[in-house]
Amino acid sequence: MATPAKKPGWRDIPIGGRIEEAGNAHKYHVGGWRIRRPVWVKENCIHCLFCWVFCPDSAVEVHDGKMHGFDYNHCKGCGICAQECPAKDKAIEMRPEDVENKFDN
Amino acid sequence: MTKRIALTGNEAMALVMKQINPDVVAAYPITPQTEIVQIFSQFVADGEIDTEFVTVESEHSAMSAVIGASAAGARAMTATSANGLALMWEVVYIAASCRLPIVMAVVNRALSGPINIHCDHSDAMGMRDSGWIQLFGENAQEAYDNALMAVRIAEHKDVMLPVAVNMDGFIISHAVENIEIVANEDVRDFVGEYNPERYLLDVQNPITVGPVDLQDFYFEHKRQQVEAMKKAKNVIQKIADEFVNLTGRKYSFFEEYYLDDAEIALVAMGSAAGTAKAAIDELREQGIKVGLLKLRVFRPFPAEEIVRALSHIKVVGVMDRAESFNTMGGPLFSDMRSAMYDGEANVRMINIIYGLGGRDITVTDIKNIIQKVKDVNNTGKIENLVIHYGVRE
Ligand code: SF4
Ligand code: SF4
């Protein structure tokens, strides 16, 4: 896991904890919370995009209407996608997290 | 054009809220505050003002609704008392930490139990550490004036903190007084328009209010709140200086009553200060050099100024209308001693806890209390650091 950059002091942050920039949740990497990681089993995938619809963290990557895998920076490992995947031979497996390698890979 | 009219404290508070004409008032009735929201809601129902009046099912919801309104960018007010304030606790902290300039009238009443609807300061002391500015008034006039100034203090860009305007339940809230009312247009000019820098309904500049703020930022935000409290001192004084131009009534962090040449003194907040003045008037005629420091601004606590004002006093009796059960005196006493501890002067202090649950405090009582302070001055001995005055043995 990368060392986090030094954070700003009390003089330099907006008051009241308010977030003054829209869409910055993207910068908050919750991948470090994960203890189990979803792994995409490409051959079983029917590209129904249920995983994408259900993922509470927008961590399923979809391009041109097709499932492409996971954004591990933002996947917190809740397993909802695997639970909801309707493919006959599940196209998402939850595997124990590789603690050395939680983020993008 | 100012005019004098006879009003109860609650009527005065409802009237000043009408004159301020906030965008949103969300409130729930609770004794002895009930009349404020009752009268105010009548103003709204009669179309005299265009405030959005939100009737809610509890004080927790009242505070939540004004927080929502304030975060959205509205000027928002509410009023409460005692257990109603206690029911707001959780959200009272959120109002302060979200830096929302809400103004709330607190009609002081004892916290249960046993159940009691009469005046003491235990409700105000319960919100003491929540990050609100707390003003206390001696009478309906001061409650009215404090409410006007509170709007400006809260919304000042250096402050952005909620303000509680305290007045003693029944003693002030229900007694009729002749008070001087500021003309509507002067109120409008004085409080001005509220233009928050950032707010939720500003769709061009979207923000998030109240996000999670864990180990990495929470502490920094608390530090900011302390800074706002420090800056509030200047702002409170500046706005009081403007207020004197408008009304001729002079306010500061506290009022000094015969303190200049006093040997002994009392410190009090709220209506008891008025009773103390009457007692001091009588004792002064007998040549007793006693004075009073009537505290108006309890949070932020004006420690330096208090030390300066009391440095020449020999013995101070600090009057608390609340217990803190630390067995070392009431909350005001703790702050007072803490403030004086580093002072150069050798001021001795005793604590008088009085008036809990609305127990009467008369001029004679205050004279007895002053006698106890005098005894310490005469003998040089503090026999009882904390006196529960007026309790049956
Ligand atoms: S495990 Fe949870 S967070 Fe991660 S991709 Fe699946 S649904 Fe989204
Ligand atoms: S839910 Fe399963 S089958 Fe559907 S797109 Fe996601 S991985 Fe593929």
Side-chain angles (χ1 to χ4, degrees), chain B residues 11-187:
Chain B
E11 287 168 346
M13 189 56 73
L15 176 66
V16 75
M17 286 169 71
K18 172 183 157 184
Q19 293 182 301
I20 292 164
N21 191 11
D23 301 308
V24 175
V25 167
Y28 189 83
I30 181 167
T31 303
Q33 164 266 61
T34 304
E35 283 178 339
I36 296 179
V37 293
Q38 187 187 321
I39 299 165
F40 186 80
S41 65
Q42 191 69 52
F43 292 143
V44 177
D46 292 346
E48 291 193 49
I49 42 171
D50 57 5
T51 299
E52 189 73 37
F53 187 79
V54 189
T55 51
V56 282
E57 86 293 359
S58 76
E59 287 85 351
H60 190 279
S61 303
M63 183 47 64
S64 301
V66 289
I67 286 172
S70 183
R75 180 178 271 162
M77 295 181 78
T78 185
T80 196
S81 283
N83 293 52
L85 175 53
L87 184 55
M88 289 179 176
W89 248 217
E90 179 199 6
V91 260
V92 156
Y93 276 75
I94 291 169
S97 54
C98 287
R99 308 296 295 277
L100 301 173
I102 293 160
V103 173
M104 172 164 70
V106 178
V107 185
N108 300 119
R109 162 188 152 183
L111 279 179
S112 305
I115 299 172
N116 182 303
I117 58 165
H118 290 283
C119 173
D120 72 28
H121 294 161
S122 50
D123 54 0
M125 294 304 142
M127 76 180 297
R128 185 189 63 177
D129 300 337
S130 63
W132 282 57
I133 289 171
Q134 290 178 284
L135 307 178
F136 282 80
E138 177 189 321
N139 47 38
Q141 181 74 67
E142 293 190 1
Y144 175 92
D145 292 349
N146 281 342
L148 272 184
M149 285 183 270
V151 174
R152 295 280 309 280
I153 296 166
E155 291 170 2
H156 194 284
K157 64 174 179 19
D158 291 348
V159 180
M160 294 300 285
L161 287 175
V163 181
V165 179
N166 290 275
M167 67 163 147
D168 285 355
F170 292 107
I171 304 166
I172 300 176
S173 67
H174 284 63
V176 178
E177 271 176 54
N178 250 324
I179 76 169
E180 217 167 85
I181 301 299
V182 181
N184 287 343
E185 55 278 16
D186 290 339
V187 169

Side-chain angles (χ1 to χ4, degrees), chain A residues 7-10 13-22 28, chain B residues 97-99 198 206-208 211 216-217 220-221 223-224 227:
Chain A
K7 288 176 177 148
W10 64 268
I13 54 176
I15 62 165
R18 68 190 179 207
I19 297 172
E20 298 189 328
E21 180 192 358
Y28 196 74
Chain B
S97 54
C98 287
R99 308 296 295 277
R198 303 302 300 269
I207 56 165
T208 298
D216 45 358
F217 283 106
E220 280 68 27
H221 285 122
R223 178 65 185 85
Q224 288 182 333
E227 196 65 12

Side-chain angles (χ1 to χ4, degrees), chain A residues 7 24-31 33 73-74, chain B residues 212 214 216:
Chain A
K7 288 176 177 148
N24 80 351
H26 191 71
K27 291 187 189 163
Y28 196 74
H29 290 181
V30 295
W33 301 1
N73 286 330
H74 296 97
Chain B
V212 66
L214 304 177
D216 45 358

Side-chain angles (χ1 to χ4, degrees), chain A residues 6-51:
Chain A
K6 189 174 177 316
K7 288 176 177 148
W10 64 268
R11 287 182 184 82
D12 302 320
I13 54 176
I15 62 165
R18 68 190 179 207
I19 297 172
E20 298 189 328
E21 180 192 358
N24 80 351
H26 191 71
K27 291 187 189 163
Y28 196 74
H29 290 181
V30 295
W33 301 1
R34 207 167 49 235
I35 55 166
R36 289 186 313 149
R37 75 163 36 202
V39 174
W40 185 37
V41 187
K42 200 174 175 182
E43 4 3 311
N44 293 345
C45 181
I46 56 171
H47 299 280
C48 65
L49 305 189
F50 272 32
C51 51

Side-chain angles (χ1 to χ4, degrees), chain A residues 38 55-57 59-60 70 75-81:
Chain A
C55 173
D57 287 282
V60 175
F70 296 99
C75 164
K76 63 180 189 272
C78 65
I80 292 174
C81 52

